[in-house]
Amino acid sequence: MARTFLTLPEFLAELDVPKSTFFRWKALGQAPRTYKLPNGQLRIRRTDYDTWLESREEPQAA
């Protein structure tokens, strides 16, 4: 069963990008929506991640 939320390390591992890239995307408004927990950790809803990733799909060459 898939988890509803990804941790930041899980998100970074899925895309194989460094944390600095994620925070640059976040500052530019290009990262998926995040949720900040009371302990300061970030979570990304799996459905938000999937939608975000699909929106970056490039059109297929003709």
Side-chain angles (χ1 to χ4, degrees):
M1 182 169 156
R3 294 179 40 196
T4 304
F5 287 90
L6 294 169
T7 64
L8 185 54
E10 289 169 339
F11 174 84
L12 298 174
E14 281 207 27
L15 293 178
D16 192 25
V17 297
K19 191 187 292 188
S20 60
T21 298
F22 170 78
F23 282 107
R24 184 169 19 110
W25 290 345
K26 190 164 169 52
L28 295 171
Q30 297 176 345
R33 184 169 51 173
T34 59
Y35 299 85
K36 191 169 190 176
L37 301 179
N39 64 3
Q41 292 183 358
L42 295 177
R43 294 289 187 272
I44 300 160
R45 189 182 303 269
R46 170 60 75 175
T47 55
D48 290 341
Y49 167 74
D50 291 339
T51 301
W52 173 83
L53 193 58
E54 287 173 13
S55 74
R56 269 126 193 91
E57 183 177 1
E58 293 185 339
Q60 209 173 44

